[in-house]
């Protein structure tokens, strides 16, 4: 069984690699070349995550790395290398994406939409019928404020807060269209915002909560006047009932690999919401983020036209994360529990967890 992974050097991909190596003797990783090799980055993570030395020594033999870039024609491979890979892949985990929430539309589209199209071309090009496991996002529900997001194809009618959300919606649509056309086994994982309470190591890929903390720090540096004399700042338009869905990344990776092993049969594509059963009050997330950077936060539901010029500039800097403070929706139970994958040992995300994840 030939298993191929994109995005293996990322925050989620590293945990997926660890889970997958427990089920398969070897993995092929499609990775962007960089100053540190993919094998080195993966081995550093596996050591940090506690893999015994004896197993670590065998990792380089168990990983085949192919230099690839999602933004390039044929993923940056030569025609013959592309065809050879297409002819031997049995399962592909497509996890690579540009997760920066705020850049221009073209940048995220090139990686997330164009890259997914090229991955689907790869899967169609060979003589086999490879399965696809695709890392989607609950962000595909876009600006849906409340209600329950169904575990089926969405129509995008609520609009989107960010180019990233739209790109993930469009990419998921490509995956579902392709599944219908070609009939390959496809599993779509709509992932919550993934976090961890384990302290990282130098150069580790961080999680969105930490990116949000960096944005809050930048905001305070660039617009210090948003801080009142008493050291507090006000966030406007925060819905009182807003809840964020956050999930420990370790549990997401375990559930994804578990679901793929239990349910890899042909048929219509399966869509799983890989989410926490309980949301966290958005006000708790905002307070944890602000406390972490040394400022107190007040939240108000006051509309945007009531805010000062400085607050408007400040909101623009952290704008990519403000949608977290606006939605109170839930997610349809999508079969993970039926597969025995609800993981009741999953920690609740409380204030202590939030603070630990930001340390
Ligand atoms: N993190 C979350 O909370 C979250 C939530 C919902 C969904 N997701 C989805 O889960 C997946 C993984 O996210 P993540 O948090 O692990 O992101 P991440 O830490 O930023 O990792 C992204 C991965 O994609 C690779 N990549 C980016 N651009 C590429 C390109 N042009 N060509 C080849 N590889 C490229 C990166 O390679 P380099 O190491 O070379 O940069 C890295 O391995 C994404 O599809 C994301 O949309 C994540």
């Amino acid at each position: 069984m030939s298993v191929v992974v994109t995005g293996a050097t990322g925050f989620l991909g590293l945990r997926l690699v660890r889970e997958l190596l427990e089920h398969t003797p070897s993995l092929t990783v499609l990775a962007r070349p960089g100053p540190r090799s993919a094998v080195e980055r993966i081995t550093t993570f596996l050591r940090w995550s506690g893999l015994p030395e004896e197993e670590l020594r065998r990792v380089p033999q168990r990983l085949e790395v192919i230099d690839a870039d999602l933004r390039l024609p044929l993923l940056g491979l030569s025609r013959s290398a592309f065809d050879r890979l297409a002819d031997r892949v049995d399962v592909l985990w497509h996890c690579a994406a540009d997760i920066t929430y705020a850049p221009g539309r073209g940048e995220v589209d090139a990686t997330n939409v164009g890259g997914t199209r090229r991955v689907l071309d790869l899967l169609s090009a060979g003589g086999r019928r490879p399965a696809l496991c695709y890392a989607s996002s609950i962000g595909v529900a876009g600006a849906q404020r409340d209600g329950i997001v169904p575990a089926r194809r969405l129509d995008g009618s609520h609009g989107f807060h960010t180019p990233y959300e739209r790109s993930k919606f469009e990419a998921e649509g490509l995956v579902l269209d392709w599944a219908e056309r070609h009939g390959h086994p496809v599993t779509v994982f709509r992932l919550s915002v993934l976090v961890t309470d384990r302290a990282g190591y130098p150069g580790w890929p961080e999680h969105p909560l930490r990116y949000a903390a960096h944005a809050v720090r930048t905001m305070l540096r660039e617009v210090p006047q948003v801080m009142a004399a008493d050291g507090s700042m006000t966030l406007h338009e925060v819905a009182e009932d807003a809840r964020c869905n956050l999930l420990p990344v370790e549990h997401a990776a375990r559930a994804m690999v578990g679901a793929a092993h239990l349910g890899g049969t042909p048929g219509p594509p399966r869509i799983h919401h890989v989410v926490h059963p309980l949301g966290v009050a958005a006000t708790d997330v905002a307070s944890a983020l602000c406390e972490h950077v040394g400022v107190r936060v007040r939240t108000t539901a006051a509309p945007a036209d009531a805010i000062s010029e400085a607050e408007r500039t400040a909101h623009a800097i952290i704008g990519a994360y403000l949608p977290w403070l606006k939605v109170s929706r839930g997610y349809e139970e999508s079969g993970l529990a039926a597969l025995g994958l609800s993981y009741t040992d999953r920690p609740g995300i409380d204030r202590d967890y939030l603070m630990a994840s930001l340390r």
Side-chain angles (χ1 to χ4, degrees):
M1 164 85 73
S2 166
V3 182
V4 178
V5 185
T6 73
T9 51
F11 179 66
L12 170 64
L14 289 166
R15 275 85 184 171
L16 279 177
V17 165
R18 172 148 193 177
E19 292 290 330
L20 289 167
L21 285 174
E22 299 207 350
H23 296 268
T24 183
S26 62
L27 287 178
T28 299
V29 164
L30 302 187
R32 276 196 291 202
R36 290 172 65 226
S37 73
V39 170
E40 187 188 340
R41 286 184 281 164
I42 292 170
T43 311
T44 303
F45 165 79
L46 293 173
R47 175 171 289 114
W48 169 86
S49 75
L51 199 71
E53 274 304 318
E54 194 188 318
E55 286 183 49
L56 273 175
R57 274 195 292 279
R58 292 179 33 237
V59 167
Q61 287 86 58
R62 299 179 67 194
L63 291 179
E64 176 198 18
V65 178
I66 297 179
D67 288 351
D69 190 321
L70 291 179
R71 293 164 303 183
L72 299 177
L74 302 178
L75 300 168
L77 309 184
S78 66
R79 179 83 245 179
S80 58
F82 186 88
D83 289 342
R84 271 200 310 280
L85 179 62
D87 269 334
R88 68 180 167 93
V89 54
D90 294 305
V91 182
L92 188 141
W93 287 80
H94 180 32
C95 189
D98 181 341
I99 69 153
T100 33
Y101 286 8
R105 171 108 202 251
E107 291 168 56
V108 281
D109 280 1
T111 307
N112 299 355
V113 184
T116 298
R117 191 174 283 120
R118 284 182 268 278
V119 164
L120 297 174
D121 288 345
L122 174 78
L123 295 176
S124 311
R128 306 181 180 219
R129 287 184 62 251
L132 171 63
C133 297
Y134 172 64
S136 185
S137 163
I138 54 173
V140 297
Q144 176 175 343
R145 212 195 87 73
D146 42 30
I148 300 293
V149 178
R152 58 177 154 75
R153 187 194 281 264
L154 304 176
D155 62 11
S157 57
H158 295 278
F160 299 94
H161 295 115
T162 61
Y164 169 78
E165 284 183 351
R166 179 184 288 278
S167 73
K168 292 299 285 186
F169 169 80
E170 289 180 9
E172 185 185 287
L174 289 178
V175 166
L176 295 175
D177 289 345
W178 178 84
E180 277 165 24
R181 255 196 333 274
H182 295 267
H184 292 223
V186 169
T187 310
V188 170
F189 297 100
R190 285 195 191 138
L191 301 160
S192 175
V193 174
L194 304 175
V195 288
T196 187
D197 60 350
R198 291 204 53 197
Y201 49 90
W204 70 306
E206 298 188 320
H207 55 74
L209 209 54
R210 292 181 61 89
Y211 290 134
H214 297 319
V216 174
R217 251 189 233 104
T218 305
M219 175 194 75
L220 292 173
R221 200 174 51 243
E222 292 188 8
V223 200
Q225 61 272 38
V226 291
M227 268 225 277
D230 66 356
S232 70
M233 64 165 285
T234 304
L235 284 175
H236 296 261
E237 288 190 70
V238 178
E240 273 166 25
D241 61 348
R243 299 189 79 73
C244 303
N245 202 285
L246 303 176
L247 183 71
V249 65
E250 300 82 8
H251 290 256
R254 191 144 55 102
M256 291 166 80
V257 173
H261 277 88
L262 290 172
T265 48
R270 286 163 304 139
I271 300 178
H272 291 301
H273 286 145
V274 185
V275 296
H276 202 286
L278 304 172
V280 192
T283 45
D284 288 349
V285 176
S287 329
L289 277 168
C290 289
E291 187 180 327
H292 175 71
V293 301
V295 62
R296 272 187 304 112
V297 70
R298 270 194 265 273
T299 54
T300 149
D305 57 4
I307 74 176
S308 71
E309 199 50 43
E311 284 171 326
R312 203 180 300 282
T313 312
H315 277 205
I317 294 172
I318 55 169
Y321 302 95
L322 292 176
W324 290 353
L325 309 180
K326 296 186 194 308
V327 301
S328 58
R329 65 195 183 211
Y331 301 89
E332 183 186 350
E333 169 56 67
S334 54
L336 286 180
L339 293 171
L341 299 169
S342 30
Y343 299 127
T344 44
D345 59 336
R346 175 166 43 201
I349 308 275
D350 55 14
R351 197 184 161 287
D352 288 347
Y353 189 101
L354 290 171
M355 294 311 291
S357 71
L358 287 162
R359 258 199 314 267

